[in-house]
Amino acid sequence: MLEDLYNISRTLRFVAWLDGDFDFSPLMDEWIGETRKELDFVNEARNMVDVKAVLDKSGLDVIVPTLFPEYTSKKTLVMTYCEGFKIIDREKLNACDMDREELMEVTCRAFAFQIFVGGLFNGDPHPGNILIQPYVDSQGRNKARPVLLDWGLTKRLKPSMRLGFAKFL
């Protein structure tokens, strides 16, 4: 994959040489750097532990898998298995009969807490990285909690950047 990215980068540099308005090299440099991190499971493990620690303090009903560090290496990541289904599986969402607005609010709050309190967040929050785990609460109501996965592309923010985002919003 890194070889493919390198070849794309070379092609884009040639395009930029032909027309300076099409210089995407800063974007490619960022993409290549982040891809290297994404392929390093020690990096992902560190991110997952850090985000889990932040979200555990949030009081939100959200799951980040627990790492087994003794089995984790640069090429192997071992964590708890979390039941659930993809957030875009409408059939299963319909079968759960839970409050989707509440589920979305918890998910959004989890990302906001990561950014504004923890100063780090999942930079790759696509539907494959968010599972839904249905359950029945103590009052017999159908509920669901998000399970947040894949921490290879985690971005960390300096305090000044967090403050800037807060002011912007």
Side-chain angles (χ1 to χ4, degrees), residues 4-60:
D4 289 342
L5 289 173
Y6 174 74
N7 289 333
I8 292 168
S9 180
R10 288 181 54 190
T11 302
L12 288 176
R13 288 185 199 284
F14 178 71
V15 170
W17 177 76
L18 292 173
D19 186 340
D21 290 337
F22 292 99
D23 183 7
F24 297 105
S25 57
L27 179 65
M28 279 308 299
D29 293 344
E30 176 77 9
W31 189 12
I32 290 168
E34 293 304 317
T35 299
R36 281 196 170 95
K37 291 179 195 173
E38 181 104 26
L39 298 172
D40 178 354
F41 288 138
V42 171
N43 174 64
E44 181 166 351
R46 181 176 44 254
N47 293 335
M48 187 169 65
V49 167
D50 291 350
V51 171
K52 182 173 178 51
V54 166
L55 288 175
D56 283 350
K57 294 175 188 174
S58 73
L60 296 168

Side-chain angles (χ1 to χ4, degrees), residues 112-168:
F113 200 89
Q114 288 172 57
I115 294 167
F116 296 115
V117 177
L120 68 170
F121 64 95
N122 187 332
D124 190 22
H126 62 77
N129 290 342
I130 303 172
L131 298 180
I132 303 304
Q133 188 178 85
Y135 67 98
V136 178
D137 73 7
S138 59
Q139 281 86 39
R141 295 176 298 202
N142 291 332
K143 302 283 239 172
R145 63 179 61 92
V147 179
L148 307 178
L149 305 170
D150 191 356
W151 300 97
L153 188 58
T154 298
K155 302 301 279 180
R156 295 174 183 266
L157 303 173
K158 296 177 185 173
S160 61
M161 185 71 82
R162 277 193 278 168
L163 181 60
F165 278 138
K167 287 180 177 180
F168 175 74

Side-chain angles (χ1 to χ4, degrees), residues 51-119:
V51 171
K52 182 173 178 51
V54 166
L55 288 175
D56 283 350
K57 294 175 188 174
S58 73
L60 296 168
D61 191 12
V62 62
I63 295 174
V64 173
T66 301
L67 178 73
F68 291 102
E70 64 273 21
Y71 302 113
T72 298
S73 70
K74 193 171 176 98
K75 295 184 178 187
T76 307
L77 181 67
V78 181
M79 65 189 107
T80 53
Y81 174 77
C82 297
E83 293 283 341
F85 57 87
K86 286 185 182 180
I87 196 167
I88 58 172
D89 190 331
R90 290 180 186 212
E91 191 173 301
K92 289 183 180 175
L93 280 169
N94 290 337
C96 289
D97 188 36
M98 46 67 184
D99 186 341
R100 292 184 194 190
E101 190 172 318
E102 181 181 0
L103 174 65
M104 184 54 72
E105 184 175 327
V106 169
T107 305
C108 290
R109 285 180 182 269
F111 278 92
F113 200 89
Q114 288 172 57
I115 294 167
F116 296 115
V117 177

